[in-house]
Amino acid sequence: MEVKQCYREASAHEGECIHIDGWIRQSRISKNVGFLMVNDGTFFKPLQVVITPSLENYEQVTHIPNGSSIAVDGILKVTPNSPQPVELEAKKVELLGSNSEDYPIQNKRQSMEFLRQFPYLRSRTNTFQAVFRTRSEIAYAIHEFFHSHGFTYVHTPIITASDAEGAGEMFQVTTLDLNDVPRTEEGKVNYKEDFFATPAHLTVSGQLELESFAMSHRNVYTFGPAFRAEHSNTTRHAAEFWMIEPEIAFADLTDMMDLAEAMMKHILNAVMERLPEEMEFFNRFIDKGLKERLDLVRKANFARMTYTEAIEILSKVNDRFEFPVQWGCDLQSEHERYLTEEIVKGPLFVTDYPKEIKSFYMRLNDDGKTVACADMLVPGIGELIGGSQREEREDVLLQQMKDKGIAEKDYQWYTDLRRFGGCVHSGYGLGFERCVMYVTGMENIRDVVPYPRTVKSLR
């Protein structure tokens, strides 16, 4: 039986002889009784196994190191009002795999920095047990949300010739011998000798390819890896991460914001309902205000204001910011948090940013100065989601590309979508790891990725 079943179905199996397999997380041993806290990976809380000298191999069992794997047969005991409401009275304990004395993660509080040295072991700790189970639940909730709303899941390419209009530095993909790179007569790299016969890269976004599927399947989304070769060693940047990107046809900016709000509320409701033990752990040990903050967001009506309105508000308190604002600047995290935490006291969409600081594919507003885009801002973190209504007018799109120095020939397939039965459509992107950080209260992206890939680090 799984430990999760022991807790969830305790009353149905009380007094039964059951079998569990798992790892000893902690042990307390005395002369006449011992307690082994056993976790099998199915539930956040370990199951207490009670051992007594009546066990045939009691002496051996009392010396099994923490971290070892064991098999236990015993009687399930249920005492709802005791500190251990469910426990297993062992009748047989078998050592399956002993833990070595040089096991680096001891039974004490370890720093996040220390644990990052052991990505293959850290998931055994309480913190990372909770983080990665929550990550899994968030991923499931995302797929569940889009499936229930009739979306088609599209796998966009990981290897691409598009740079998604310069969304970030890209990793190049090649089969060329870097010790003997073929050259043209002009001395340039001869990509005709490469696998794809053209420069290729790992994708930074699946959005552009996804837009074409919105023109055939209406409501679509992709949820996959993205890669950015930015030499940024911050708590919020990773070279490999995952992106959730929906695209909706016959939909404007308001429809996009409604969808993003509904998705976030679904994620939060799912995690709070399905992982109460993990969320209580995060609230107690990682971020003491976490549950209150998440409850505020999942029950709120998201406020909306334009970028121009936001600048007017922020400029009145410019002296409190490290980066003073003026119309035309991009908002920093300090500005976003002020708007959500001090002004609206809840989640907020800021819309209609200046066209100069946004992407070429965003729909130009009638004022000719701003574009139909929106950033979702939440208390405690700032921006969580960015999206826009896409420019469906071919002539305007081409002019936007020209203004930003983007070669039309490189995106002919994309601009063709406007000629071949195009329509009003919108979409957004959510960095999955940023979402996991927000839900768990973890402060470093390296601690919400099973095997983080960051600059100068490939453990």
Side-chain angles (χ1 to χ4, degrees), residues 156 162-165 205-213 245 247 360-361 411 413-414 417-418:
T156 52
S162 164
D163 70 351
E165 51 73 39
S205 169
Q207 177 204 316
L208 302 187
E209 293 88 351
L210 195 64
E211 283 188 54
S212 70
F213 272 81
E245 297 176 289
E247 288 289 328
F360 77 93
Y361 52 73
Y411 291 88
W413 67 271
Y414 182 70
L417 295 175
R418 277 70 186 164

Side-chain angles (χ1 to χ4, degrees), residues 24 64-69 95 97-105 124:
I24 300 174
I64 295 177
N66 289 341
S68 300
S69 60
L95 175 63
S98 182
N99 197 16
S100 175
E101 290 183 359
D102 60 353
Y103 180 59
I105 302 179
R124 304 181 185 192

Side-chain angles (χ1 to χ4, degrees), residues 290-345:
L290 179 66
K291 288 177 69 175
E292 181 181 358
R293 206 161 54 243
L294 297 183
D295 276 335
L296 172 67
V297 171
R298 69 191 183 112
K299 296 174 183 178
N301 291 319
F302 286 37
R304 300 179 185 186
M305 72 171 63
T306 66
Y307 168 89
T308 299
E309 291 170 336
I311 291 297
E312 290 176 358
I313 293 170
L314 294 167
S315 61
K316 295 177 181 178
V317 289
N318 249 341
D319 57 346
R320 67 178 290 165
F321 299 129
E322 180 182 356
F323 301 99
V325 300
Q326 59 182 359
W327 202 96
C329 75
D330 208 353
L331 298 184
Q332 303 293 323
S333 179
E334 60 177 341
H335 309 138
E336 296 166 346
R337 292 191 61 176
Y338 178 81
L339 292 171
T340 58
E341 296 167 22
E342 303 291 334
I343 301 302
V344 303
K345 301 186 186 304

Side-chain angles (χ1 to χ4, degrees), residues 224-260:
F227 308 86
R228 296 189 183 174
E230 295 173 332
H231 288 262
S232 183
N233 198 20
T234 74
T235 59
R236 299 177 67 171
H237 288 86
E240 178 182 330
F241 57 98
W242 285 63
M243 287 279 286
I244 300 99
E245 297 176 289
E247 288 289 328
I248 45 178
F250 308 105
D252 61 14
L253 186 65
T254 298
D255 297 316
M256 185 226 86
M257 290 188 287
D258 290 343
L259 181 71

Side-chain angles (χ1 to χ4, degrees), residues 74-199:
I75 306 300
L76 193 66
K77 300 289 186 179
V78 181
T79 51
N81 297 321
S82 70
Q84 292 293 337
V86 181
E87 60 184 11
L88 191 62
E89 186 180 291
K91 299 301 180 184
K92 179 183 177 183
V93 178
E94 178 186 1
L95 175 63
L96 301 178
S98 182
N99 197 16
S100 175
E101 290 183 359
D102 60 353
Y103 180 59
I105 302 179
Q106 299 302 313
N107 187 24
K108 62 180 182 179
R109 187 178 288 267
Q110 308 276 10
S111 71
M112 297 295 179
E113 186 175 355
F114 174 81
L115 292 172
R116 286 180 207 131
Q117 300 176 64
F118 307 99
Y120 61 103
L121 296 175
R122 64 177 181 168
S123 63
R124 304 181 185 192
T125 65
N126 284 340
T127 297
F128 291 100
Q129 279 257 325
V131 166
F132 295 124
R133 188 173 288 112
T134 304
R135 180 184 171 108
S136 174
E137 197 62 55
I138 294 172
Y140 176 76
I142 289 167
H143 285 298
E144 180 182 56
F145 173 80
F146 286 118
H147 183 77
S148 67
H149 283 72
F151 278 67
T152 299
Y153 179 28
V154 178
H155 295 121
T156 52
I158 291 174
I159 299 175
T160 178
S162 164
D163 70 351
E165 51 73 39
E169 295 294 327
M170 304 181 76
F171 289 100
Q172 189 163 359
V173 176
T174 183
T175 57
L176 295 178
D177 182 353
L178 299 185
N179 293 313
D180 187 18
V181 178
R183 301 283 179 177
T184 64
E185 292 181 359
E186 295 79 19
K188 296 181 180 180
V189 176
N190 185 2
Y191 283 106
K192 290 183 179 180
E193 299 293 324
D194 206 354
F195 187 89
F196 294 106
T198 189

